[in-house]
Amino acid sequence: MAERLLEIENLTTGFMTEKGFVKATDNISLTIEKGKTLCLVGESGSGKSVTSLSIMRLIDYAGGSILDGKIVFRGDDLAAKDQEEMRKIRGNKIAMIFQDPMSALNPVFSVGDQIAESLRLHQNKSESEAWKEAVNLLRMVGIPAPEIRAKQYPHELSGGMCQRVVIAVALACNPELLIADEPTTALDVTVQAQILDLLQKLKQELGMSILLITHDMGVAAEMADRIAVMYAGAIVEEGTVEEIFANPSHPYTVGLLQSIPGFEGTRGKELYTIKGTIPGLGNLPGGCRFHPRCPHVMDKCKTQEPLDFKVGNDHSAVCWLYEDKAPVVLGRNGGETK
Ligand SMILES: Nc1ncnc2c1ncn2[C@@H]1O[C@H](COP(=O)(O)OP(=O)(O)OP(=O)(O)O)[C@@H](O)[C@H]1O
Ligand SMILES: [Mg+2]
């Protein structure tokens, strides 16, 4: 296995509500390797954003907290850090971009100033050096005539260009990990493809790791080295992109794939929709959390939480259908070995 940059080990996070503490991520474990892209997929409300906010420890500001587990980044546990230490890591070693580029940019500063400000803060550059570097970054993210664009304000740029600027701000501090939470859903389809191409190019050129959050399996197919499928706060399947698409194992993953237009097996057929809806926090069914929606539900699924079974090379699924396979064993550090 390649070098691990980030290892989330048995992370449980949640929110205090009138019903008490409710879990938004339940004992999740994930690994992101150096220079690779992990796509976290799952429908709305499955806990994808909570996972990314937890890594950045921004969950603390969203009214949530980490109950248990580790977030090991380059050997250091982020879950145990205080906010002062996290401030040095955020936007420095780890950068994050969100769905809506407009809300990430400040309307009263030129885009060049916003990138230059980040360079001055994180890299102690002089004003003129920072401006030169900001223009270079705009060129790098594919903005034409960057010297002119740098002087413009966010409202003078299209949505796609603004997202490129947001990516340039993120790159200004040379992050080792870029977390992108649905970075293209607010953009139209052609612009979406351009931004995804840009992320691929930057990953290759800069050797960054990317955690890409998407509800779109088509995007995951193009971008991911590995895919983790999340459902109602838990990772239900994880593996290489090749394995997940060749041999989708958890019934939830199969349902997600069958609902992609144009995916092999769905062409010319009516698209499948997974029946029912995702349960709200604090409202999880007993046994397997997916059982009320599962086309393969067995009695056991209603009462016993499934284990994580090895369903292929470097591929596991949390589902009783694979009971005859070996369970994934916990490694030395509590991490999984597959
Ligand atoms: N600040 C909060 N307080 C209480 N509950 C929250 C808070 N933020 C998120 N949640 C709940 O946590 C669960 C997971 O939310 P999250 O935003 O991580 O989902 P998601 O997978 O990112 O969905 P989407 O695809 O819609 O972005 C949801 O049930 C959500 O309602
Ligand atoms: Mg989200």
Side-chain angles (χ1 to χ4, degrees), residues 161-183:
M161 274 201 215
C162 281
Q163 195 60 302
R164 287 177 193 267
V165 172
V166 170
I167 294 170
V169 174
L171 295 181
C173 46
N174 227 339
E176 290 175 62
L177 173 64
L178 179 69
I179 302 178
D181 190 350
E182 304 269 10

Side-chain angles (χ1 to χ4, degrees), residues 1-171:
M1 204 186 227
E3 195 184 330
R4 295 169 171 197
L5 181 68
L6 181 88
E7 280 190 274
I8 298 181
E9 297 174 10
N10 307 103
L11 183 70
T12 298
T13 60
F15 300 95
M16 205 52 174
T17 68
E18 63 252 31
K19 286 189 201 160
F21 189 85
V22 291
K23 293 176 185 173
T25 70
D26 192 358
N27 201 24
I28 64 168
S29 295
L30 286 174
T31 299
I32 303 179
E33 294 168 0
K34 218 168 160 26
K36 303 280 184 188
T37 299
L38 174 74
C39 280
L40 187 56
V41 299
E43 72 200 291
S44 191
S46 52
K48 306 181 298 295
S49 294
V50 168
T51 302
S52 62
L53 293 174
S54 302
I55 297 170
M56 296 293 268
R57 289 287 304 280
L58 292 170
I59 189 78
D60 312 31
Y61 298 109
S65 56
I66 295 177
L67 189 67
D68 201 12
K70 288 186 181 172
I71 302 167
V72 182
F73 178 70
R74 299 162 89 236
D76 235 6
D77 183 9
L78 303 184
K81 293 215 174 293
D82 61 31
Q83 285 296 346
E84 187 56 40
E85 293 172 295
M86 279 310 295
R87 254 189 288 279
K88 293 186 196 132
I89 292 171
R90 273 198 295 267
N92 202 348
K93 296 193 163 58
I94 307 178
M96 188 158 176
I97 56 176
F98 297 92
Q99 181 174 340
D100 179 10
M102 279 311 198
S103 65
L105 295 172
N106 190 329
V108 302
F109 291 103
S110 74
V111 294
D113 272 336
Q114 299 190 46
I115 304 169
E117 173 68 13
S118 179
L119 288 162
R120 276 199 299 272
L121 268 177
H122 294 290
Q123 296 185 17
N124 277 329
K125 298 224 167 173
S126 74
E127 219 158 293
S128 68
E129 273 177 338
W131 183 263
K132 232 163 95 190
E133 178 70 18
V135 171
N136 277 339
L137 280 165
L138 287 175
R139 188 174 296 116
M140 187 172 190
V141 297
I143 294 204
E147 294 85 357
I148 299 167
R149 291 295 185 181
K151 295 181 193 141
Q152 295 186 322
Y153 292 82
H155 73 267
E156 296 176 87
L157 275 61
S158 68
M161 274 201 215
C162 281
Q163 195 60 302
R164 287 177 193 267
V165 172
V166 170
I167 294 170
V169 174
L171 295 181

